[in-house]
Amino acid sequence: FSFPLFDDPKQIFYLLLGKQSDIALVEYRMPVLDFSFEYSQYFPIFGPLGASITGEIGLTIDLGFGYDTRGIREFIESGAKRPELLLDGIYLIDLDKSGNDVPELKFYGGISAAAEVSLVMVEAGVGGGIGVEVDFNLHDNDNDGRVRLDELIGNIYDEAVINNDPVFAPLAIFDISGEVYAELFAFLKIDLFFWQFEEEWQITPKITLVDFAIDFDRVPKLATRSDSGDLRLNMGPYAAARL
């Protein structure tokens, strides 16, 4: 947990002067979760010489949540008549602690084969494989580092209704990209019961065979309908809403 307002109290002064947007009140970053499954099969060939095939699939989840003053501000501006606006302060954090845009979900997998020499307490070998990595990075409509509920719902709606693609509409909350790669490696394992050593070295860096990206048609928001039913053009002081 962190409390950005307490870490930098001068933000309140900038907010009152109109020099800063909404202030983050509290943020929570989950520990990175990594789920994976690996299967390996060894095939003896002759004596200590054999071959192994290994497959792996996994998923990494890196999420953070926060609440800022946007919902409170909108609630006050409505004359305290619309409490549902308080939800507008909830957001998903799209940046890491260093300010870099990182994927919230990452799917990975691959299959490899290796030639091995297996002795009583030592295993060594060389091999190669093909792998895939797919990044699911939350699409931040206004690039403020905070992905809000209305942005998530809006992206799903645009893809399902305007782009007429209800099947893949939930994926429109992400920018999706990935690569298929090959690599060569060597490994060494030593097991002396009271001391163990295991290491793998890359003979070659990852060699990208193909990379790809799934582009969703992002519908521009050129105007916004106000509560009174008027169509307000997103220009001038409202230019930030023109996504």
Side-chain angles (χ1 to χ4, degrees):
F1 277 98
S2 64
F3 300 89
L5 179 60
F6 297 152
D7 296 337
D8 188 12
K10 65 177 179 290
Q11 294 181 87
I12 300 177
F13 180 70
Y14 294 141
L15 181 65
L16 295 175
L17 294 179
K19 295 183 178 181
Q20 183 164 330
S21 58
D22 294 304
I23 301 173
L25 300 177
V26 60
E27 290 186 343
Y28 170 67
R29 297 179 184 270
M30 292 175 52
V32 177
L33 305 178
D34 191 354
F35 305 91
S36 62
F37 171 78
E38 182 176 313
Y39 175 79
S40 181
Q41 182 69 52
Y42 177 78
F43 302 93
I45 297 176
F46 178 77
L49 181 62
S52 64
I53 296 178
T54 302
E56 182 184 22
I57 58 173
L59 176 68
T60 299
I61 303 176
D62 186 2
L63 292 176
F65 307 88
Y67 190 84
D68 64 12
T69 56
R70 174 175 168 177
I72 299 173
R73 174 178 55 79
E74 292 179 350
F75 174 63
I76 295 174
E77 290 174 353
S78 72
K81 297 179 180 179
R82 298 182 58 191
E84 73 275 7
L85 293 176
L86 293 172
L87 296 176
D88 288 348
I90 301 173
Y91 59 87
L92 290 168
I93 304 173
D94 193 38
L95 307 176
D96 64 13
K97 292 181 179 180
S98 301
N100 301 313
D101 191 3
V102 296
E104 283 68 34
L105 302 177
K106 175 175 290 195
F107 169 81
Y108 60 90
I111 186 170
S112 62
E116 297 186 16
V117 175
S118 180
L119 302 175
V120 177
M121 294 177 289
V122 178
E123 292 182 18
V126 294
I130 294 179
V132 60
E133 291 183 357
V134 184
D135 293 340
F136 296 82
N137 191 5
L138 285 172
H139 181 75
D140 186 3
N141 293 19
D142 53 7
N143 294 315
D144 65 348
R146 304 173 184 178
V147 180
R148 304 180 187 274
L149 297 177
D150 58 347
E151 292 177 298
L152 298 173
I153 296 172
N155 288 331
I156 295 174
Y157 174 85
D158 290 345
E159 186 67 19
V161 179
I162 298 179
N163 296 333
N164 194 27
D165 186 14
V167 176
F168 295 101
L171 293 178
I173 66 175
F174 297 107
D175 294 322
I176 304 175
S177 61
E179 66 171 346
V180 179
Y181 61 87
E183 60 182 348
L184 298 176
F185 58 88
F187 64 90
L188 174 63
K189 300 178 182 179
I190 302 175
D191 188 354
L192 300 179
F193 302 107
F194 58 88
W195 181 78
Q196 295 179 336
F197 174 82
E198 183 174 345
E199 189 66 60
E200 181 175 305
W201 299 272
Q202 298 300 123
I203 299 176
T204 64
K206 289 182 178 180
I207 303 170
T208 300
L209 303 179
V210 61
D211 52 18
F212 57 91
I214 300 176
D215 295 322
F216 293 97
D217 187 11
R218 307 294 181 183
V219 181
K221 304 294 189 297
L222 304 179
T224 303
R225 189 174 299 279
S226 67
D227 294 337
S228 61
D230 296 328
L231 193 65
R232 186 197 72 203
L233 298 181
N234 292 329
M235 56 189 298
Y238 306 107
R242 187 177 65 247
L243 306 177

